[in-house]
Amino acid sequence: MEGDRERRRFKVGVGMPGWETPVGSFRVIEKTAYPIWEHPAKGVRIPPGPTNPLGSRWIGFHRDCKGRRGFNGQEHLEVKGCVTSGFHGTPNRNSVGGAVSHGCVRLFDEDVRELFEMVQVGTPVTVLP
């Protein structure tokens, strides 16, 4: 949004049941081009590149340090410590439009690149139910 005017709209994927995207008012807390993805429970790291689940951009907006437990559709996961939710791209274009993430907002990679250029650390983020 820019004032009361919608500046741009993107198709997104959101958190799956048990790993819902946090709802509320937040601010962009970090931006990373070519991020490293770390599995939320196992700690396995995937470097930047075409198979990275975060795509080419990461825009974090919420950090929760209470830990988290849930079933991701394939396995039960327990995360101890902090988890961060944000906007990111994805190499799996079919996952955009569904409730499939661990709480993040997935966009097509070309869309998250555009969004990345539109926001700064501190930009307000509102996630509606």
Side-chain angles (χ1 to χ4, degrees), residues 59-75:
I59 306 165
F61 64 81
H62 177 260
R63 184 168 289 125
D64 175 358
C65 293
K66 299 177 205 167
R68 191 173 248 198
R69 298 171 61 157
F71 182 69
N72 72 358
Q74 298 174 1
E75 60 187 330

Side-chain angles (χ1 to χ4, degrees), residues 50-125:
T51 61
N52 185 303
L54 299 179
S56 68
R57 300 290 186 273
W58 167 257
I59 306 165
F61 64 81
H62 177 260
R63 184 168 289 125
D64 175 358
C65 293
K66 299 177 205 167
R68 191 173 248 198
R69 298 171 61 157
F71 182 69
N72 72 358
Q74 298 174 1
E75 60 187 330
H76 289 278
L77 299 176
E78 181 174 358
V79 178
K80 296 182 180 182
C82 300
V83 293
T84 304
S85 296
F87 303 97
H88 64 80
T90 178
N92 181 1
R93 294 181 69 84
N94 292 332
S95 69
V96 175
V100 295
S101 77
H102 290 106
C104 288
V105 180
R106 290 185 187 177
L107 294 90
F108 295 126
D109 207 62
E110 62 271 18
D111 290 344
V112 79
R113 286 172 175 262
E114 183 178 341
L115 181 62
F116 191 87
E117 296 304 318
M118 295 171 69
V119 303
Q120 305 301 320
V121 170
T123 297
V125 174

Side-chain angles (χ1 to χ4, degrees), residues 2 5 13 16 22 26 43-46 64 68 100 112-113:
E2 193 168 318
R5 184 178 71 85
M16 67 182 83
F26 311 99
V44 175
R45 295 168 59 96
I46 297 180
D64 175 358
R68 191 173 248 198
V100 295
V112 79
R113 286 172 175 262

